[in-house]
Amino acid sequence: MNINWYPGHMKKTKELLQENIKLVDLIIEVVDARVPYSSKNPDFDKLFRDKKRLIVLNKYDLSDPNMNKKWEDYYKSKGWSAVLYNSTNNKELRKLNNAIAEATKEIVERYKKRGFRNRTIKAMIVGIPNVGKSTLINSLAKRKSAKTGNMPGVTKGKQWIHLAGSIDLLDTPGILWPKFDDKESALNLAFTGAIKDDVLVLEEIALKFVIRMQQMGKEKVILERYGIEAGEKPLDILDNIAYKKGFLTNKRDIDYLRVANLLLIDFRAGKLGKITLEMP
Ligand SMILES: Nc1nc2c(ncn2[C@@H]2O[C@H](COP(=O)(O)OP(=O)(O)O)[C@@H](O)[C@H]2O)c(=O)[nH]1
Ligand SMILES: [Mg+2]
């Protein structure tokens, strides 16, 4: 993990979240649209229960359009608002602002009825590491760098970013910890790069990725990308990429680390196409 989530950190994170939740009307929960289940932490659902929630399926530029629709519908069926978003494309900003306005419509109405005409709606962004929280805050704030860090519990005073309409966004995201115990989720997060490569055996991750692609009936994408043939075993695919690319050490041993890097970097950059790794 790119965060040391030892129990003290977890406790601190939860306390900080609890404190911030009291201040806001809307929780904007960011997930990775390629792995919406694995990148969401249900531990926190209880904490957010009484708040209006907008799920941002971020990085939808990298995920399967058919699956995007399914996930969006799934979240809506749970009574949450949901929007597909690409934080790296400022042209989509209006879509997100509209989704926020839509999600907070009733709250605004309620405030008006109670006579608070100019009351701003307060929102905060939450999500596990690497889903794009900082990028999203920056895109909303229309600026290049948010003072964000991956260390939980290091906020120095709260700052609000004023957005379109009368929305104020807390400038520091709430960082949720990933699901550790679920092996399948951990693997999905390793594929997307949310779990730092240096604590993982990358060659193994790459092999598992090949197997996953085969299970999803998407092996062909890999074969076509590298101009290789399939073999009998999943490992043959890594071998064949190595031969094709000349990724050999001593001119004969396969450099699996190099193959793994290539394959995973290509997947993460969307070069294997738009792929979603799990279904609702
Ligand atoms: N393709 C794509 N990349 C994104 C998107 N949002 C964030 N990223 C990238 O994902 C990585 C992690 O983003 P970051 O904002 O640091 O995530 P955080 O840990 O949740 O704050 C960065 O390399 C971003 O450029 C998106 O919508 N599409
Ligand atoms: Mg960040």
Side-chain angles (χ1 to χ4, degrees):
M1 293 283 155
N2 44 2
I3 293 178
N4 296 318
W5 291 104
Y6 55 84
H9 258 155
M10 291 187 169
K11 192 164 167 281
K12 192 106 211 215
T13 299
K14 218 159 191 167
E15 281 169 4
L16 194 78
L17 265 173
Q18 250 153 349
E19 191 187 297
N20 286 337
I21 285 166
K22 285 187 208 141
L23 304 174
V24 302
D25 308 285
L26 175 72
I27 302 283
I28 301 173
E29 187 176 9
V30 186
V31 299
D32 183 327
R34 295 167 298 174
V35 286
Y37 173 77
S38 299
S39 61
K40 196 169 185 313
N41 189 328
D43 293 359
F44 293 91
D45 279 356
K46 236 192 276 156
L47 215 56
F48 305 144
R49 196 178 40 205
D50 301 325
K51 296 286 169 182
K52 185 77 199 168
R53 190 137 40 133
L54 170 64
I55 311 279
V56 175
L57 283 148
N58 197 39
K59 308 195 187 189
Y60 89 111
D61 52 305
L62 298 174
S63 57
D64 185 333
N66 294 320
M67 297 303 288
N68 289 344
K69 184 78 184 75
K70 289 203 172 79
W71 276 105
E72 192 184 1
D73 291 346
Y74 169 74
Y75 288 129
K76 287 181 174 165
S77 77
K78 288 182 89 89
W80 299 329
S81 301
V83 64
L84 296 160
Y85 196 60
N86 173 2
S87 298
T88 60
N89 181 2
N90 281 333
K91 290 200 187 101
E92 303 218 343
L93 207 52
R94 184 197 295 262
K95 182 165 76 169
L96 182 60
N97 278 317
N98 286 346
I100 294 173
E102 181 67 29
T104 53
K105 212 167 57 189
E106 286 160 23
I107 303 169
V108 173
E109 283 304 311
R110 222 181 302 140
Y111 279 156
K112 271 191 189 153
K113 269 193 197 132
R114 287 203 256 142
F116 303 115
R117 292 223 156 257
N118 297 319
R119 178 140 182 186
T120 56
I121 298 292
K122 292 195 156 41
M124 79 178 283
I125 286 176
V126 303
I128 70 164
N130 202 53
V131 289
K133 297 179 300 299
S134 302
T135 315
L136 186 74
I137 289 176
N138 287 331
S139 94
L140 279 167
K142 300 196 175 78
R143 67 181 181 198
K144 287 244 150 50
S145 65
K147 35 171 241 275
T148 49
N150 270 340
M151 289 297 281
V154 288
T155 30
K156 290 197 192 81
K158 291 182 213 325
Q159 291 207 39
W160 297 91
I161 303 162
H162 190 68
L163 308 182
S166 42
I167 313 277
D168 283 331
L169 178 71
L170 195 61
D171 81 336
T172 325
I175 299 167
L176 315 182
W177 54 80
K179 285 175 271 200
F180 302 108
D181 310 332
D182 180 347
K183 282 214 176 74
E184 191 74 11
S185 289
L187 196 57
N188 283 336
L189 294 175
F191 294 154
T192 62
I195 295 177
K196 273 265 186 338
D197 293 340
D198 50 3
V199 296
L200 298 164
V201 182
L202 206 64
E203 297 92 320
E204 253 179 66
I205 302 294
L207 183 59
K208 291 198 164 126
F209 178 72
V210 168
I211 295 167
R212 177 67 68 80
M213 290 291 276
Q214 290 175 331
Q215 287 164 347
M216 296 196 309
K218 285 191 180 288
E219 183 189 49
K220 223 177 86 197
V221 171
I222 299 177
L223 305 183
E224 280 171 4
R225 166 93 189 155
Y226 304 108
I228 56 163
E229 301 286 319
E232 279 163 27
K233 308 182 271 27
L235 189 65
D236 294 336
I237 289 191
L238 297 185
D239 290 358
N240 292 344
I241 295 173
Y243 292 131
K244 187 81 182 191
K245 293 277 174 190
F247 290 173
L248 305 169
T249 55
N250 313 320
K251 297 215 164 97
R252 58 193 165 82
D253 296 329
I254 289 173
D255 189 345
Y256 284 112
L257 185 58
R258 225 174 139 193
V259 180
N261 256 311
L262 177 73
L263 185 61
L264 292 170
I265 285 172
D266 278 355
F267 164 65
R268 291 168 189 170
K271 290 191 178 142
L272 299 176
K274 295 175 188 281
I275 297 169
T276 300
L277 295 172
E278 51 199 6
M279 287 204 269

